[in-house]
Amino acid sequence: MRKQWLSSGLAVLAVTALAASAALAQTVDTSRIESAGQNDWLTYHGSYKSHHYSPLAQINANNVGNLGVAWMHVPGRSTRGLQSMPLVADGVLYYSGSYSRVFALNGATGEVIWSYFPELDEALISRQTHSPYNRGVALGEGKVFVGTMDGRLFGLDAKSGKVLWETRLIDSQKLTVGFTGAPLYAKGTVIIGSQGGEWPGRGPIFAVDATTGKKKWEFLTVAGTDEAMKSWGNDSWRTGGGGGWMPGTYDSETNTILWGTANPAPLYDWSGADYKTQGARPGDNLYTSSVIGLDIETGKLKFYHQELPHDAWDFDSAVGEFVMLERDGQKYVVHPNKGGFVFVYDRNLGVKNVWRLVENINFVKDIDPKTGELIGRRDFSAGKVTEPPLCPFIGGGVSWNAGSYSPKTGLYYKIGQEWCMTLEVQKTTPVTAPQVQLNIGADFKMAPPPGGEIYGHLDARDPITGTKKWEVRYPEPPLGSVLSTAGNLVFVPDSRGVLHAYDAETGAELWKHNNGTGHQGGIVSYSAGGKQYVAVTAGFGGMLADEYAPNFGGVYKSMPRDDGALVVFSLK
């Protein structure tokens, strides 16, 4: 009898606590995301400034040694790992897993408040290459937004998980691709880009009304304007690839969406040095491998910079954050490129500087820091490319996960990847019927850099000049996101499964914990009930992670590809 009373009492307390939390909850809107309240993590990049920084300092350099696991959540069916970035609002943590499954959890206890598993076209998904992982959700106007691999965007009630609207945006049966990246919410609009630069499509980015789910506009990253269409020879724009598979950000001062775009198809063109007139897709191939600014109301292109004209290496620009910061009265946007360079722009995407994050780069000799022009391109004809191997590897000098900028230290913390590959470029013909097929145009294999070994590194650098303050090395490149905090800490979840905490000023390791499987997703910090937590997704999988066991062996030989967990830490 007493046990029953206690159970009933706890249930009442839990309901009361959730009711109180709901009563205190405020609408997540544009102004709230922009102000980035310290207790929350409201959008993929933390706020529109994309700092991936938490102003919380309860966990700090002096007490991080007392950090321990507070709770865990196992989402199940984590095929190809867990790659999501959690979000937190008013003490409730939201995240997604494989197959676009969405969870709302009590941020203090891990108790499941609701879950939503969409019914998917799994026959279609089984034919896709980048599936079935999902990299995150967006919050806004009392809703949770999530995209699916079969081309739909959902608006869920944030309190119950009930479907409020569902909108089909892509004919995935024909085009094969769907959505793997997180949406972005801003100003009553949900923006999401399709994945699949390697598929012969035109890479759309969509805007949807957050209230009704009605499509507002669509921008094609391949030949989306008359100017761009002229940059694709031989009608190659019809099968040009493109896309914008990772979320960008919103600049309220100019009412502009900033977004990165993917590579053209085929990945590896055989044009050689005559790429302007020869090969599969002659010309610069606008707006692939670019950063673009779109009017949030109309989707009209306002400005752009093509970081890699005629990208022949799959070092696309869809990866990475748009770090907004100010220095000496000037406003900058810092954007890393998969090629291993970091571009510094003004707010209209005018080039202000370009600096190297990684050492092993030979697809170009350099990039002009004043103009962004590529110097000494390395374009290939059909056949083998072995001496020297192409650097970096297809995984990039940086991967798709985010670095972190700390306003407290003024440093940008970013993972660099030192690896290369041999390549055999092959002539291909795009296949578009009855269903679009993958169009890569080469076989490739990971290789060490000339005269060295593969490794990864965390750099602490000046975000504008690239000047390095300190570096930490890893035997294999880490693939997860980075988090810095006001507690003078930098957290790095590595590929072996170890979560590290470093002193943000010196790089000295202060704490580590083995989560038992590799990390390839997001990490955030938030506060619930007056207590600070650090939440990280663990679970290794996907095309890049699949390369670790055959190339590095060791712990990767036994590491599962179909498991994952959300692990949440607090002070003991």
Side-chain angles (χ1 to χ4, degrees):
M1 178 65 74
R2 179 172 173 73
K3 182 177 180 181
Q4 183 178 15
W5 181 87
L6 281 172
S7 297
S8 300
L10 288 172
V12 169
L13 286 173
V15 171
T16 303
L18 288 174
S21 176
L24 293 172
Q26 300 174 350
T27 298
V28 176
D29 56 17
T30 306
S31 62
R32 187 175 169 190
I33 295 174
E34 189 145 37
S35 63
Q38 69 172 11
N39 292 332
D40 302 315
W41 196 281
L42 298 175
T43 191
Y44 187 91
H45 296 299
S47 76
Y48 296 131
K49 292 181 178 178
S50 302
H51 288 178
H52 287 262
Y53 169 83
S54 170
L56 294 168
Q58 190 179 83
I59 302 169
N60 55 58
N62 294 322
N63 61 22
V64 69
N66 295 324
L67 207 59
V69 175
W71 56 266
M72 295 175 62
H73 179 257
V74 178
R77 213 181 179 206
S78 294
T79 306
R80 307 193 82 182
L82 195 55
Q83 304 190 16
S84 176
M85 178 72 74
L87 303 186
V88 182
D90 305 305
V92 178
L93 185 150
Y94 305 88
Y95 84 112
S96 58
S98 296
Y99 301 94
S100 303
R101 295 150 64 115
V102 183
F103 302 87
L105 310 173
N106 183 315
T109 66
E111 177 187 7
V112 177
I113 299 171
W114 56 259
S115 60
Y116 175 68
F117 300 170
E119 292 186 13
L120 301 173
D121 185 341
E122 299 209 18
L124 166 67
I125 291 172
S126 68
R127 295 195 294 271
Q128 298 174 329
T129 302
H130 300 306
S131 69
Y133 39 76
N134 184 280
R135 289 166 175 159
V137 300
L139 302 178
E141 302 182 4
K143 303 180 187 67
V144 180
F145 308 104
V146 65
T148 64
M149 284 297 301
D150 56 4
R152 292 173 290 165
L153 183 68
F154 283 82
L156 310 176
D157 184 287
K159 293 181 180 177
S160 67
K162 178 183 176 182
V163 176
L164 298 177
W165 52 256
E166 168 191 346
T167 303
R168 175 163 293 286
L169 295 170
I170 300 176
D171 181 359
S172 297
Q173 279 293 350
K174 176 175 175 53
L175 298 176
T176 309
V177 299
F179 302 113
T180 54
L184 173 75
Y185 168 85
K187 209 175 177 183
T189 303
V190 187
I191 301 99
I192 190 167
S194 75
Q195 47 84 244
E198 301 81 20
W199 278 265
R202 295 184 66 192
I205 296 171
F206 301 97
V208 170
D209 186 290
T211 301
T212 65
K214 184 178 179 181
K215 188 171 84 172
K216 296 175 71 172
W217 52 258
E218 175 181 347
F219 180 82
L220 296 170
T221 62
V222 171
T225 66
D226 291 341
E227 175 203 20
M229 195 167 290
K230 295 174 184 174
S231 69
W232 295 81
N234 304 330
D235 277 353
S236 55
W237 58 271
R238 297 182 185 277
T239 55
W245 47 281
M246 287 297 291
T249 195
Y250 172 61
D251 184 354
S252 62
E253 292 185 19
T254 60
N255 213 29
T256 303
I257 295 296
L258 299 178
W259 214 268
T261 72
N263 50 277
L267 289 186
Y268 300 101
D269 189 19
W270 56 87
S271 61
D274 298 324
Y275 72 87
K276 289 279 190 181
T277 57
Q278 303 296 316
R281 41 181 174 81
D284 284 345
N285 307 151
L286 290 171
Y287 301 98
T288 59
S289 299
S290 302
V291 289
I292 58 178
L294 304 176
D295 185 292
I296 193 172
E297 302 293 350
T298 65
K300 184 178 179 181
L301 182 71
K302 299 173 74 171
F303 36 73
Y304 72 93
H305 175 74
Q306 190 173 33
E307 294 183 338
L308 303 182
H310 192 90
D311 180 357
W313 318 282
D314 189 20
F315 297 148
D316 66 73
S317 303
V319 303
E321 52 280 12
F322 290 83
V323 180
M324 305 271 201
L325 55 92
E326 296 186 32
R327 181 180 291 180
D328 300 328
Q330 292 198 51
K331 296 181 178 181
Y332 296 98
V333 180
V334 178
H335 179 259
N337 178 281
K338 196 174 159 189
F341 289 91
V342 176
F343 287 74
V344 182
Y345 299 103
D346 62 24
R347 291 294 172 88
N348 296 324
L349 298 180
V351 174
K352 307 300 288 185
N353 191 22
V354 184
W355 53 269
R356 288 175 180 240
L357 177 71
V358 301
E359 179 181 350
N360 290 286
I361 295 174
N362 64 18
F363 71 99
V364 292
K365 289 183 178 177
D366 208 349
I367 297 181
D368 189 310
K370 294 182 179 178
T371 66
E373 182 181 1
L374 305 193
I375 300 171
R377 293 177 60 102
R378 192 175 174 202
D379 290 289
F380 308 114
S381 302
K384 292 185 178 180
V385 178
T386 54
E387 294 298 334
L390 175 64
C391 308
F393 178 56
I394 190 172
V398 303
S399 190
W400 55 268
N401 264 304
S404 177
Y405 170 72
S406 168
K408 185 173 182 179
T409 64
L411 294 171
Y412 180 43
Y413 306 96
K414 186 69 181 175
I415 298 293
Q417 303 168 162
E418 307 288 352
W419 47 13
C420 306
M421 61 180 175
T422 59
L423 195 66
E424 182 167 1
V425 179
Q426 302 165 343
K427 294 185 178 181
T428 61
T429 301
V431 177
T432 59
Q435 190 176 52
V436 165
Q437 301 293 312
L438 189 66
N439 188 17
I440 291 183
D443 288 331
F444 50 85
K445 185 178 180 181
M446 186 187 295
E453 294 185 347
I454 294 171
Y455 69 98
H457 48 95
L458 169 71
D459 288 13
R461 292 183 181 254
D462 182 295
I464 306 302
T465 67
T467 302
K468 184 167 30 179
K469 183 172 183 182
W470 54 259
E471 175 187 294
V472 174
R473 292 199 177 197
Y474 307 85
E476 303 92 29
L479 299 177
S481 282
V482 178
L483 167 72
S484 64
T485 74
N488 202 36
L489 294 170
V490 180
F491 289 92
V492 177
D494 78 11
S495 297
R496 293 189 178 189
V498 179
L499 175 61
H500 306 264
Y502 302 102
D503 185 298
E505 294 283 0
T506 68
E509 185 171 81
L510 303 175
W511 171 88
K512 63 182 178 181
H513 176 88
N514 193 333
N515 282 325
T517 187
H519 302 94
Q520 203 180 351
I523 178 168
V524 304
S525 188
Y526 63 94
S527 179
K531 192 168 187 177
Q532 184 182 357
Y533 297 86
V534 173
V536 62
T537 52
F540 217 48
M543 294 184 69
L544 192 52
D546 290 345
E547 297 284 340
Y548 275 53
N551 284 284
F552 303 127
V555 298
Y556 303 106
K557 288 183 178 178
S558 61
M559 190 176 287
R561 299 289 186 275
D562 298 314
D563 282 336
L566 176 76
V567 188
V568 180
F569 298 86
S570 65
L571 293 174
K572 297 173 185 174

